[in-house]
Amino acid sequence: MITFTWANGQKFELDGTKVLRIRKTIKGFDEDLGNTLLDVNRSEYVQELTPEAVKAVQAELSTLSSLTQPVGERFWFNAQAASGPMPVGPSKRKDGILSAFDIGGKRQYVREAHEEVAALIKAAKGDLRPVPDDSIFKNNLEPNQGFDTEIEEWDAVLNQTKPVV
């Protein structure tokens, strides 16, 4: 168990093996409740700085890996709990987004290529999917309505804007 601190100074314990994602909070987009956002079965904002939180979780969760969010910031995720890589349709292929994976019932878009996403998921013994062949999107046409909009997106607001980070 790892001890973290909420904004009110109260300490709480968290099982590091249950962490899905970790990222630095972004002023103006996250509630001003902490320095780091930990996604477990709920979101926890903690006072610990992101590098400290990552180090503590890595001590309990060997499958913690790192990729880049669409906004250009690094984030960490439990690659064993991930499923992917997932195809990225033309409507989502912007701001450097090259691939995606699913975790915790939501889709995470990333700037890395499908092959890098696949390698991390495979190494962690996650739910490895075949590397998508993006030629299915010839002429920038989506294969069908709602292809990549049916699943909720992690940090959807951040992915639609250009925050100052």
Side-chain angles (χ1 to χ4, degrees):
M1 297 293 270
I2 306 167
T3 302
F4 287 108
T5 312
W6 284 310
N8 65 5
Q10 183 179 349
K11 305 272 185 195
F12 71 99
E13 287 192 342
L14 184 87
D15 180 352
T17 65
K18 304 293 186 203
V19 172
L20 295 175
R21 290 186 340 135
I22 302 172
R23 71 168 173 79
K24 177 181 159 218
T25 55
I26 298 175
K27 188 175 180 170
F29 289 94
D30 293 308
E31 300 174 46
D32 191 21
L33 297 174
N35 295 309
T36 303
L37 175 63
L38 301 171
D39 291 308
V40 202
N41 60 350
R42 65 194 176 286
S43 294
E44 294 286 2
Y45 292 89
V46 300
Q47 295 304 302
E48 287 74 16
L49 297 175
T50 305
E52 296 167 15
V54 167
K55 185 176 179 180
V57 171
Q58 276 179 326
E60 293 188 9
L61 183 65
S62 64
T63 56
L64 196 67
S65 297
S66 180
L67 290 171
T68 311
Q69 295 174 290
V71 296
E73 288 286 312
R74 298 297 287 178
F75 75 100
W76 292 259
F77 70 102
N78 179 354
Q80 187 175 38
S83 177
M86 303 304 239
V88 178
S91 64
K92 297 289 185 184
R93 204 175 299 137
K94 58 187 175 198
D95 298 327
I97 295 173
L98 298 176
S99 188
F101 62 90
D102 294 345
I103 187 167
K106 296 182 183 181
R107 181 143 304 157
Q108 175 68 61
Y109 290 96
V110 296
R111 289 186 170 196
E112 286 77 11
H114 295 311
E115 293 78 11
E116 187 170 347
V117 173
L120 291 173
I121 293 171
K122 180 179 180 181
K125 295 184 172 68
D127 181 21
L128 180 63
R129 302 290 181 96
V131 172
D133 177 1
D134 288 333
S135 68
I136 63 172
F137 303 113
K138 292 180 196 167
N139 302 320
N140 283 333
L141 297 176
E142 300 286 353
N144 55 40
Q145 191 73 16
F147 167 72
D148 55 4
T149 58
E150 292 177 357
I151 186 168
E152 187 179 351
E153 213 176 294
W154 285 103
D155 306 319
V157 174
L158 288 177
N159 297 342
Q160 297 168 11
T161 58
K162 299 264 191 216
V164 176
V165 288

